[in-house]
């Protein structure tokens, strides 16, 4: 974040511009904007992509296509026509700036759709659909000032399913690492992530991936509860770092949910008293909890 703010605020010539840090998951059109937005895709730091997008109509001399990734030249020529600039120095400065952008690829429409699925993204004059096979080999025409550029679209590795993680996936992974950090307690961040449809499945996967090293904290117990509260069969056998007391707290939370089968197999160190504590069974009684929860003890010690 610090690098992005610094890079957006300064350049080597001493230029400075204030930067506002917007909240995560803000809609692409959620800010106060009159000149479009700049998108930088840092998913792959070896191949950073960029684009400009106009979604309402910019305060520019010429119109550009809405809701589609614009190249640096297309965006620039919405405001200037290079051949008509009076000042040679200004023209050369802009040409030099465009040369720097030539080193970077433009963000694909597929990536914009994946990051902001609610946007009506345009491609080749059509509203973007999930299946692009009908338009995969079209010729696109973009008007840039008085110049018309034609570019044949090509399918790149970035467009292939599963070839490269999206910017959204990359951001989600970063946030997962943050909330699973033992020293982090950020309920507001967790609450904002919970509104995402894929948060719970991704959280469950990440928790099981880190089961061998996951440390028992109030936050980790709460996250395990969030990830498993819809599960009928709950497997806690892989969370070896959790003490009996930690497991008891978690199971107590899950007993009020949908859990009916609890797997604690291969936890050889658990005694009968430990199991009674975990299941919430009083030592004086051999009854199972009223929820009807069962326990699988395959390979466990006596």
């Amino acid at each position: 974040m610090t690098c992005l703010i610094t890079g957006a605020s300064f350049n080597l010539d001493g230029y400075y511009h204030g930067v506002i840090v917007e909240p995560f998951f803000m809609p692409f059109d959620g800010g106060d904007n009159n000149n479009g937005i700049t998108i930088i895709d840092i998913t792959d730091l070896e191949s950073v992509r960029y684009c400009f997008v106009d979604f309402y109509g910019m305060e520019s001399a010429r119109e550009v296509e809405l809701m589609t990734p614009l190249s640096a030249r297309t965006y620039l020529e919405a405001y200037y026509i290079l051949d008509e600039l009076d000042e040679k120095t200004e023209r050369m400065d802009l040409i030099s700036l465009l040369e720097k952008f030539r080193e970077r690829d433009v963000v694909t429409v597929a990536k914009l759709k994946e990051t902001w699925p609610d946007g009506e993204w345009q491609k080749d004059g059509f509203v973007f659909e999930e299946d692009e096979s009908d338009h995969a080999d079209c010729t696109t025409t973009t008007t840039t000032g008085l110049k018309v550029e034609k570019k044949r679209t090509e399918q790149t590795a970035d467009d292939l399913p599963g070839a490269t993680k999206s910017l959204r996936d990359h951001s989600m992974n970063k946030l997962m690492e943050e909330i699973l950090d033992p020293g982090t307690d950020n309920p507001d961040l967790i609450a904002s992530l919970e509104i995402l449809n894929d948060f719970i499945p991704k959280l469950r996967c990440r928790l099981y991936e880190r089961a061998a090293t996951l440390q028992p904290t109030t936050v980790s117990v709460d996250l395990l509860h969030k990830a498993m509260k819809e599960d009928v069969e709950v497997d806690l056998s892989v969370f070896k770092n959790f003490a009996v007391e930690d497991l008891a707290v978690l199971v107590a939370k899950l007993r009020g949910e949908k859990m009916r089968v609890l797997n604690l197999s291969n936890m050889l160190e658990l005694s009968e008293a430990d199991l009674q504590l975990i299941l919430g069974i009083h030592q004086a009684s051999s009854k199972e909890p009223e929820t009807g929860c069962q326990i699988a003890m395959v390979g466990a010690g006596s």
Side-chain angles (χ1 to χ4, degrees), residues 147-284:
K147 180 178 180 180
V148 175
E149 296 179 339
K150 290 189 177 181
K151 180 179 179 181
R152 192 171 186 78
T153 59
E154 297 177 356
Q155 189 178 39
T156 66
D158 192 56
D159 296 319
L160 299 177
T164 304
K165 288 185 178 179
S166 70
L167 178 58
R168 186 175 186 276
D169 286 337
H170 185 74
S171 298
M172 178 70 82
N173 289 337
K174 284 286 194 182
L175 293 171
M176 285 289 184
E177 290 300 319
E178 181 175 341
I179 65 175
L180 290 174
D181 187 321
T184 299
D185 184 6
N186 192 337
D188 291 338
L189 174 57
I190 295 173
S192 67
L193 290 171
E194 283 189 272
I195 66 176
L196 303 176
N197 293 333
D198 58 346
F199 171 64
I200 293 300
K202 288 180 182 296
L203 175 63
R204 182 188 291 109
C205 289
R206 186 57 60 91
L207 287 168
Y208 276 105
E209 286 173 2
R210 296 185 54 169
T213 59
L214 187 67
Q215 297 300 314
T217 64
T218 302
V219 174
S220 63
V221 169
D222 184 56
L223 290 174
L224 282 166
H225 171 239
K226 292 180 185 297
M228 300 176 178
K229 65 182 181 180
E230 297 296 322
D231 295 349
V232 174
E233 299 183 12
V234 174
D235 181 8
L236 299 180
S237 63
V238 294
F239 297 95
K240 303 293 186 181
N241 293 324
F242 281 60
V244 172
E245 293 77 12
D246 302 314
L247 293 172
V249 172
L250 177 57
V251 172
K253 290 175 176 285
L254 293 171
R255 277 207 308 269
E257 307 293 352
K258 298 183 178 181
M259 181 182 70
R260 291 295 175 269
V261 177
L262 174 63
N263 183 1
L264 295 175
S265 61
N266 297 318
M267 288 189 165
L268 304 179
E269 71 283 0
L270 294 180
S271 65
E272 182 177 352
D274 292 335
L275 295 176
Q276 289 178 335
L277 178 62
I278 292 171
L279 291 175
I281 301 175
H282 296 298
Q283 299 243 356

Side-chain angles (χ1 to χ4, degrees), residues 53-229:
V53 174
D54 179 13
F55 41 85
Y56 288 143
M58 304 185 300
E59 295 177 346
S60 55
R62 284 159 293 281
E63 294 183 354
V64 295
E65 187 175 0
L66 302 180
M67 297 298 293
T68 195
L70 306 174
S71 68
R73 186 176 188 97
T74 301
Y75 182 80
L76 180 68
E77 290 195 341
Y79 296 87
Y80 307 96
I81 297 179
L82 297 180
D83 294 338
E84 295 182 1
L85 291 178
D86 296 329
E87 293 290 336
K88 180 179 179 181
T89 301
E90 184 180 13
R91 182 168 65 252
M92 295 306 297
D93 286 344
L94 292 175
I95 291 175
S96 176
L97 179 62
L98 288 177
E99 286 299 315
K100 295 178 181 179
F101 278 94
R102 288 172 61 87
E103 302 171 3
R104 302 293 181 186
D105 292 326
V106 174
V107 175
T108 63
V109 176
K111 203 61 79 178
L112 295 178
K113 173 68 175 177
E114 188 174 13
T115 306
W116 292 288
D118 294 333
E120 296 183 357
W121 302 104
Q122 306 287 333
K123 184 173 184 179
D124 305 341
F126 298 91
V127 175
F128 178 86
E129 301 292 347
E130 293 295 338
D131 182 4
E132 298 182 75
S133 56
D134 293 338
H135 314 304
D137 198 30
C138 297
T139 300
T140 63
T141 304
T142 305
T143 303
T144 56
L146 300 179
K147 180 178 180 180
V148 175
E149 296 179 339
K150 290 189 177 181
K151 180 179 179 181
R152 192 171 186 78
T153 59
E154 297 177 356
Q155 189 178 39
T156 66
D158 192 56
D159 296 319
L160 299 177
T164 304
K165 288 185 178 179
S166 70
L167 178 58
R168 186 175 186 276
D169 286 337
H170 185 74
S171 298
M172 178 70 82
N173 289 337
K174 284 286 194 182
L175 293 171
M176 285 289 184
E177 290 300 319
E178 181 175 341
I179 65 175
L180 290 174
D181 187 321
T184 299
D185 184 6
N186 192 337
D188 291 338
L189 174 57
I190 295 173
S192 67
L193 290 171
E194 283 189 272
I195 66 176
L196 303 176
N197 293 333
D198 58 346
F199 171 64
I200 293 300
K202 288 180 182 296
L203 175 63
R204 182 188 291 109
C205 289
R206 186 57 60 91
L207 287 168
Y208 276 105
E209 286 173 2
R210 296 185 54 169
T213 59
L214 187 67
Q215 297 300 314
T217 64
T218 302
V219 174
S220 63
V221 169
D222 184 56
L223 290 174
L224 282 166
H225 171 239
K226 292 180 185 297
M228 300 176 178
K229 65 182 181 180

